[in-house]
Amino acid sequence: MSGTVTAVSSNGEYSFTKPNRDSITLLTGLGVEGDVHAGVTVKHRSRVAQDPTQPNLRQVHLIHEELFAEVGAEGFKVLPGDLGENITTRGIDLLALPVGTLLRIGDEAVLEVTGLRNPCLQIDHFQNGLLKQVVGRDEAGNIIRKAGVMSVVREGGTVRPGDLIQAELPAEPHRPLDRV
């Protein structure tokens, strides 16, 4: 399973959106250099309020570009970085990956997928009604989260648009992604 990086984004300040960059540098065990969410322990405000000593399983956020076309069909305009992701991808089904999948990006970087992004009300503050597009329920009533996956940096390196992404699945049995 493979795909491509279409955009990279980071922000050193708390903000819902992240500006696109020519490249980002991933730091082993920390996240994106200079990004507000980088660190060994949790940086998301809601997680810090619960327990600031929790390990940071949300160092790097990835979203599949295909989501933008899906919500675009419903009248929303979303571009890379708009939903706070660090890496926008194309051609790889991020949401179908199991926990522990390694994503080899470019020549050096390796991310380990930890779980699904749990979208919050800030998405509706960005564009009213968008939250219902990225969180829903299937026919059986199970919650479906479409706002990308979270990961930790196993091997650092520079990531740029155009870089190839190779997914390496963990040993079976595979555990499906859940929110982190």
Side-chain angles (χ1 to χ4, degrees), residues 99 114-117 145 175-180:
V99 172
T114 56
L116 296 167
R117 176 189 182 185
R145 293 174 179 87
R175 289 184 314 148
L177 296 177
D178 198 4
R179 66 187 174 124
V180 292

Side-chain angles (χ1 to χ4, degrees), residues 83-102:
L83 298 181
E85 76 275 10
N86 300 109
I87 300 174
T88 309
T89 69
R90 181 186 315 123
I92 187 167
D93 188 354
L94 295 173
L95 304 179
L97 298 172
V99 172
T101 297
L102 297 180

Side-chain angles (χ1 to χ4, degrees), residues 106-180:
D107 294 331
E108 309 166 304
V110 179
L111 298 176
E112 180 179 338
V113 177
T114 56
L116 296 167
R117 176 189 182 185
N118 191 32
C120 63
L121 279 175
Q122 287 183 332
I123 291 177
D124 270 350
H125 296 161
F126 173 68
Q127 286 185 44
N128 192 34
L130 185 56
L131 182 59
K132 285 186 178 180
Q133 300 299 313
V134 298
V135 177
R137 293 195 181 268
D138 64 15
E139 299 80 31
N142 299 309
I143 295 175
I144 303 296
R145 293 174 179 87
K146 301 180 192 177
V149 299
M150 307 307 286
S151 64
V152 295
V153 182
R154 291 295 177 221
E155 294 181 30
T158 302
V159 177
R160 294 177 180 83
D163 281 351
L164 183 65
I165 305 167
Q166 290 286 341
E168 184 179 306
L169 300 179
E172 293 193 23
H174 293 160
R175 289 184 314 148
L177 296 177
D178 198 4
R179 66 187 174 124
V180 292

Side-chain angles (χ1 to χ4, degrees), residues 2-155:
S2 65
T4 308
V5 174
T6 60
V8 293
S9 310
S10 66
N11 199 341
E13 300 176 9
Y14 279 104
S15 170
F16 185 70
T17 62
K18 293 186 179 188
N20 295 156
R21 309 288 182 190
D22 293 332
S23 67
I24 56 173
T25 301
L26 302 182
L27 303 174
T28 303
L30 295 174
V32 178
E33 183 178 45
D35 192 80
V36 70
H37 293 112
V40 174
T41 57
V42 292
K43 300 300 175 202
H44 288 75
R45 290 176 175 166
S46 63
R47 309 287 171 139
V48 170
Q50 291 173 357
D51 177 2
T53 66
Q54 294 176 76
N56 187 3
L57 301 177
R58 300 165 57 105
Q59 294 174 358
V60 181
H61 177 200
L62 298 93
I63 283 186
H64 52 296
E65 185 179 71
E66 292 84 354
L67 177 65
F68 304 158
E70 183 181 324
V71 300
E74 299 298 323
F76 297 91
K77 184 177 181 183
V78 180
L79 300 171
D82 280 353
L83 298 181
E85 76 275 10
N86 300 109
I87 300 174
T88 309
T89 69
R90 181 186 315 123
I92 187 167
D93 188 354
L94 295 173
L95 304 179
L97 298 172
V99 172
T101 297
L102 297 180
L103 298 175
R104 299 185 181 281
I105 305 175
D107 294 331
E108 309 166 304
V110 179
L111 298 176
E112 180 179 338
V113 177
T114 56
L116 296 167
R117 176 189 182 185
N118 191 32
C120 63
L121 279 175
Q122 287 183 332
I123 291 177
D124 270 350
H125 296 161
F126 173 68
Q127 286 185 44
N128 192 34
L130 185 56
L131 182 59
K132 285 186 178 180
Q133 300 299 313
V134 298
V135 177
R137 293 195 181 268
D138 64 15
E139 299 80 31
N142 299 309
I143 295 175
I144 303 296
R145 293 174 179 87
K146 301 180 192 177
V149 299
M150 307 307 286
S151 64
V152 295
V153 182
R154 291 295 177 221
E155 294 181 30

